[in-house]
Amino acid sequence: MVYIPGGEFILGCDSLGDTDESPAHSVTIKPFLIGKYEVTQEEWVLIMKKNPSEFKGAKRPVECVSWNDAQLFITRLNDLTGEKYRLPTEAEWEYVAKCGYDSSAITDSLSSIGWWIDNSNERTHGVGLLRPNKFGAYDMIGNVHEWCADLYDSLAYAKAAGVIPNDIASHKDEAVARGGNWISKKHFTRISNRNHAPLDYRNPTVGFRLAMDVE
């Protein structure tokens, strides 16, 4: 885990993003811990005993795990360790990926920090092989999409910014996944891009990383 200092940043993107990424608005993040790497197959098997991944490799990220599967893993991990691991919130994930900057742009070469369609050879790769970001987190972009704690709400940003009332209904039977994956084209590796899928969705493009509150 790496320590993430708290701070205020701009969540979302108005100029480059899809409609569910706007309006961009200020969010305050409390200090917390986040996984330095995506959860690996080695770690998954230690807790769950079976490896669901299509692209096998102990140090590769576990994939073909649903949001529900990730929650079960976390429950078992917490029972074994006595800790309080969880999935990062969507805002926490974006804060780490942006390193707190008010921007959705990637300043580093994309292929130097993430595995995507141009450099992945259409498969996952071992975690931590490329450059970390300035918070010390690896593979925030590419390799696998990462489940977040939040259920998906296409109107979430508009509600948070006060543009529409909070009680306006929108579907919440899917969870948010962030960061692009090994087969993503450039548009889908944008830090502010919001992907989402049903809670029982399993695919070799989706995994997760852990987070934890600072006591």
Side-chain angles (χ1 to χ4, degrees):
M1 308 290 281
V2 292
Y3 174 79
I4 305 300
E8 186 174 334
F9 83 115
I10 300 299
L11 176 67
C13 180
D14 292 325
S15 60
L16 301 173
D18 301 321
T19 55
D20 65 353
E21 298 171 40
S22 65
H25 56 286
S26 179
V27 173
T28 299
I29 300 294
K30 295 180 180 179
F32 70 105
L33 302 172
I34 197 166
K36 189 174 185 178
Y37 310 110
E38 295 159 334
V39 172
T40 64
Q41 295 172 37
E42 179 179 53
E43 292 166 334
W44 179 272
V45 170
L46 186 64
I47 302 300
M48 306 297 284
K49 308 309 179 186
K50 294 182 179 180
N51 187 357
S53 304
E54 180 171 319
F55 301 107
K56 295 291 194 291
K59 299 301 183 183
R60 288 181 174 182
V62 67
E63 21 90 353
C64 291
V65 293
S66 69
W67 187 89
N68 288 334
D69 295 334
Q71 296 290 1
L72 179 57
F73 172 90
I74 290 169
T75 296
R76 292 183 180 180
L77 177 63
N78 288 344
D79 287 344
L80 285 169
T81 63
E83 299 289 356
K84 296 180 180 179
Y85 293 103
R86 58 177 175 81
L87 292 175
T89 67
E90 185 173 14
E92 286 173 340
W93 188 95
E94 187 165 318
Y95 180 72
V96 175
K98 287 182 175 179
C99 296
Y101 301 152
D102 178 8
S103 172
S104 64
I106 298 171
T107 55
D108 294 303
S109 162
L110 181 53
S111 291
S112 73
I113 61 172
W115 300 107
W116 61 303
I117 188 63
D118 275 14
N119 69 343
S120 70
N121 199 25
E122 299 190 10
R123 66 192 65 206
T124 63
H125 293 263
V127 300
L129 297 178
L130 300 178
R131 289 171 51 189
N133 70 11
K134 293 182 179 180
F135 276 154
Y138 290 81
D139 301 302
M140 294 297 295
I141 302 299
N143 222 7
V144 289
H145 264 103
E146 300 175 12
W147 289 117
C148 293
D150 309 63
L151 297 183
Y152 176 70
D153 182 349
S154 62
L155 304 177
Y157 291 13
K159 292 175 182 178
V163 176
I164 61 172
N166 281 319
D167 59 358
I168 297 294
S170 54
H171 72 279
K172 292 186 178 181
D173 56 353
E174 297 184 332
V176 174
R178 292 296 213 107
N181 60 65
W182 52 269
I183 205 170
S184 291
K185 296 181 180 179
K186 193 168 187 178
H187 175 80
F188 298 104
T189 65
R190 290 180 304 102
I191 291 173
S192 60
N193 182 254
R194 304 178 72 205
N195 201 2
H196 51 95
L199 304 184
D200 60 356
Y201 178 77
R202 298 184 180 100
N203 192 277
T205 60
V206 187
F208 67 105
R209 77 176 67 217
L210 297 171
M212 182 186 290
D213 294 334
V214 174
E215 299 295 339

